[in-house]
Amino acid sequence: MRIGITETVLRDAQQSQMATRMPLSDFQDILPVLDQVGYESLECWGGATFDSCLRFLNEDPWERLRKIKEACPNTKLQMLLRGQNLLGYKPYPEDVVREFVRLSIKNGIDVIRIFDALNDLRNIKITIEETRKHEAEAQVAICYTTSPVHNIENYVQLVKDIENMGASSIAIKDMAGVITPHEVFELVSALKETTKLPLHIHTHSTTGMGFMSLLKAVEAGADVIDTAISSFSGGTSQPATETMVFALEQLGYQTGINIKKMAEVDHFFLPLHQQYVKSGLISPYVLGTRTDALNYKVPGGMLSNLISQLKDLNAIDRFKEVLEEVPLVRKDLGYPPLVTPMSQIVGVQATQNVLSGKRYQNVSKEIVSYLNGEYGMAPGEINPDLQKEILGDQEPITYHFANKLENGLDAGKEKIGALARSEEDVLSYIMFPQIAKRFFKKRKKIEKNTVQYTIEEWEEK
Ligand code: CO
């Protein structure tokens, strides 16, 4: 039996270990080799990569994508998309969503893995349609989480609905690395009876379950697994590619991986990884096994965010209290899976609840929008007292919020004007207005002068 391997080093692995700060120039030379390994797909683009290119790396994310495509013509390029929220943190109008999908495919993406933080399928409908229209693969990911309102029957129903919407394949997205070998075996077995669509498994090594869970998923019939080349594997990243390939091949599965090329990839990335650890870009903390997530159900990325948030606030001694507040906030909100943007929204609220001394005394704008139904339907029941306290007499909406948004493309184009040089620039601007604008200005200055500059010089005051 054939098992496909999706390599995550260019996206999730570096996102999970080093906050997506790897510049194209650091990995460009290995791209032709990555193209020869024989991966099912190469995950290389997504919300954090896009944001980080513009914000920190002074790179045009579209240009990065085109360069990867040019060097990897034989391997499917994969991106992660937050459904109606695209690469951002709030829903965008339909015209923007469609244009973004079209341009992503035009610039080189072959597989769009689409998810919605609430598994509300209204938020992914247009992206599936548009992806299929441009003949790319629309892979829909269900966000895996455990709670009193999540069970196998829900997931089975969800997958039936996703198939009916026209998805090309299904992924189980376990962003927290909490799925256990037993749970994944049961879930994959049930889903294989539900659908003929290829089934992909995405997990993290954070809690140490990763290798075991991937193997059990394969035994239950999963078709493709996500892994990271060993030098960038483990901890908050994915289980190691090589380890899974060797284990699976010996068990009689074919991965189609060229072992020699795979080793070459690892030998390229190992010194880079060591360099990032030395410079502090990679903290040893994210490389170990952390089992707190099994108790608190908090994804690795969210843990490190909470830590840095509390450090900034000089309140790291409250970490344990905040960690214990997270599941309580999550319960109040009807058990949303903790994935972007819900992980940020819940994390900030839990921090506020602990630090201010009175729960929900301060709430973010996002919490108000969430309680108003703007992000979609909560998986479980929202605490009615909280909803009433925050919304007052206002009834939460039941329609699909994005349907009422005005078209955004023309307005965006007009607002950014000549600073945007392409359709792609306009999309960068619509999704990340300030940082895209700052990047466009910098780009102009850099081209005019070949003199050396510091980033700070071109920062907007
Ligand atoms: Co992930």
Side-chain angles (χ1 to χ4, degrees):
M1 204 186 138
R2 159 113 194 176
I3 303 294
I5 303 286
T6 291
E7 173 61 51
T8 65
V9 64
L10 302 184
R11 207 282 297 176
D12 204 4
Q14 62 129 338
Q15 178 174 334
S16 303
Q17 289 194 354
M18 57 185 286
T20 334
R21 302 293 162 79
M22 199 191 290
L24 173 68
S25 51
D26 277 9
F27 65 80
Q28 202 164 10
D29 290 349
I30 196 66
L31 289 173
V33 183
L34 277 165
D35 192 38
Q36 294 163 35
V37 177
Y39 298 122
E40 169 72 24
S41 64
L42 192 54
E43 194 192 32
C44 63
W45 224 51
T49 35
F50 199 100
D51 183 332
S52 176
C53 276
L54 291 169
R55 195 188 298 265
F56 303 110
L57 302 172
N58 295 314
E59 263 183 55
D60 179 350
W62 301 95
E63 181 68 17
R64 170 184 286 214
L65 175 57
R66 287 190 292 270
K67 292 238 168 87
I68 297 174
K69 187 69 185 177
E70 208 180 285
C72 300
N74 305 305
T75 308
K76 286 192 272 182
L77 300 188
Q78 182 171 319
M79 74 172 294
L80 185 63
L81 188 74
R82 301 168 189 159
Q84 196 87 32
N85 297 351
L86 296 178
L87 304 181
Y89 302 96
K90 56 165 197 180
Y92 292 94
E94 183 173 335
D95 66 330
V96 172
V97 172
R98 287 193 189 275
E99 179 74 348
F100 179 79
V101 169
R102 181 182 78 83
L103 288 177
S104 302
I105 296 166
K106 185 181 161 210
N107 281 274
I109 290 294
D110 302 284
V111 182
I112 305 191
R113 180 180 282 174
I114 309 159
F115 75 95
D116 175 62
L118 300 175
N119 292 322
D120 183 335
L121 299 185
R122 295 174 302 177
N123 285 329
I124 59 174
K125 185 167 174 285
I126 302 170
T127 40
I128 298 178
E129 249 175 57
E130 198 65 22
T131 305
R132 295 305 296 257
K133 188 172 144 197
H134 299 285
E135 288 166 16
E137 184 177 328
Q139 183 175 110
V140 177
I142 47 177
C143 296
Y144 180 79
T145 188
T146 52
S147 84
V149 300
H150 288 88
N151 54 49
I152 290 204
E153 290 71 42
N154 299 151
Y155 288 123
V156 164
Q157 187 55 49
L158 199 57
V159 164
K160 279 184 190 158
D161 295 342
I162 291 169
E163 185 165 17
N164 288 335
M165 283 178 121
S168 333
S169 53
I170 306 282
I172 297 171
K173 179 177 166 62
D174 171 30
M175 52 281 164
V178 294
I179 204 164
T180 63
H182 173 72
E183 286 166 6
V184 82
F185 189 86
E186 299 283 303
L187 181 57
V188 171
S189 302
L191 295 184
K192 285 309 271 189
E193 281 178 24
T194 309
T195 178
K196 293 263 178 297
L197 293 179
L199 190 59
H200 298 236
I201 311 294
H202 177 87
T203 186
H204 289 253
S205 293
T206 326
T207 66
M209 294 286 181
F211 286 116
M212 295 184 285
S213 294
L214 288 183
L215 186 57
K216 290 305 274 185
V218 167
E219 283 178 6
D223 301 280
V224 182
I225 54 173
D226 286 11
T227 58
I229 198 75
S230 58
S231 35
F232 267 85
S233 73
T236 49
S237 171
Q238 271 71 48
T241 309
E242 297 95 312
T243 314
M244 287 309 300
V245 167
F246 279 101
L248 289 174
E249 295 269 343
Q250 203 178 56
L251 286 166
Y253 299 96
Q254 286 88 47
T255 60
I257 294 288
N258 180 323
I259 305 283
K260 257 173 97 177
K261 295 287 172 191
M262 176 171 65
E264 219 179 299
V265 170
D266 180 49
H267 297 159
F268 176 88
F269 278 109
L270 186 59
L272 258 184
H273 193 272
Q274 287 166 336
Q275 192 186 307
Y276 295 139
V277 170
K278 213 171 148 194
S279 72
L281 257 181
I282 294 179
S283 146
Y285 182 85
V286 304
L287 302 178
T289 304
R290 305 273 173 240
T291 50
D292 267 350
L294 295 174
N295 300 320
Y296 299 106
K297 312 290 180 202
V298 176
M302 189 174 164
L303 272 181
S304 46
N305 271 346
L306 284 177
I307 292 170
S308 74
Q309 231 176 68
L310 287 171
K311 273 187 183 156
D312 287 348
L313 295 165
N314 240 336
I316 192 67
D317 54 317
R318 315 291 297 272
F319 181 55
K320 192 149 183 286
E321 287 168 80
V322 172
L323 214 49
E324 281 162 0
E325 177 66 13
V326 168
L328 302 179
V329 172
R330 186 170 169 242
K331 181 172 182 238
D332 285 337
L333 299 185
Y335 299 106
L338 294 177
V339 62
T340 302
M342 294 316 301
S343 44
Q344 289 82 351
I345 295 174
V346 170
V348 168
Q349 193 58 51
T351 308
Q352 289 274 14
N353 283 359
V354 168
L355 295 191
S356 76
K358 186 165 177 273
R359 304 185 75 221
Y360 302 106
Q361 186 176 33
N362 305 319
V363 292
S364 63
K365 246 172 52 198
E366 285 79 9
I367 285 278
V368 181
S369 306
Y370 176 85
L371 293 174
N372 193 34
E374 292 170 24
Y375 287 90
M377 218 153 24
E381 199 203 352
I382 293 177
N383 178 346
D385 295 336
L386 174 67
Q387 203 161 24
K388 197 139 199 287
E389 186 188 323
I390 305 295
L391 295 183
D393 289 336
Q394 185 189 331
E395 281 289 317
I397 63 168
T398 51
Y399 59 83
H400 178 41
F401 180 68
N403 283 348
K404 299 272 168 103
L405 294 173
E406 292 207 17
N407 279 350
L409 264 184
D410 290 342
K413 207 179 279 178
E414 200 170 302
K415 239 173 142 185
I416 188 63
L419 268 180
R421 296 173 179 172
S422 60
E423 303 168 296
E424 286 82 358
D425 277 355
V426 174
L427 263 295
S428 302
Y429 173 70
I430 291 174
M431 288 187 292
F432 300 97
Q434 282 101 4
I435 61 162
K437 196 168 169 190
R438 200 179 70 196
F439 168 75
F440 298 153
K441 285 185 178 167
K442 255 183 253 174
R443 180 173 65 183
K444 221 167 142 187
K445 297 268 189 187
I446 296 166
E447 284 168 359
K448 257 197 209 152
N449 313 307
T450 43
V451 290
Q452 300 254 321
Y453 68 98
T454 66
I455 302 304
E456 282 80 358
E457 280 168 8
W458 307 116
E459 298 274 333
E460 267 188 338
K461 293 283 174 292

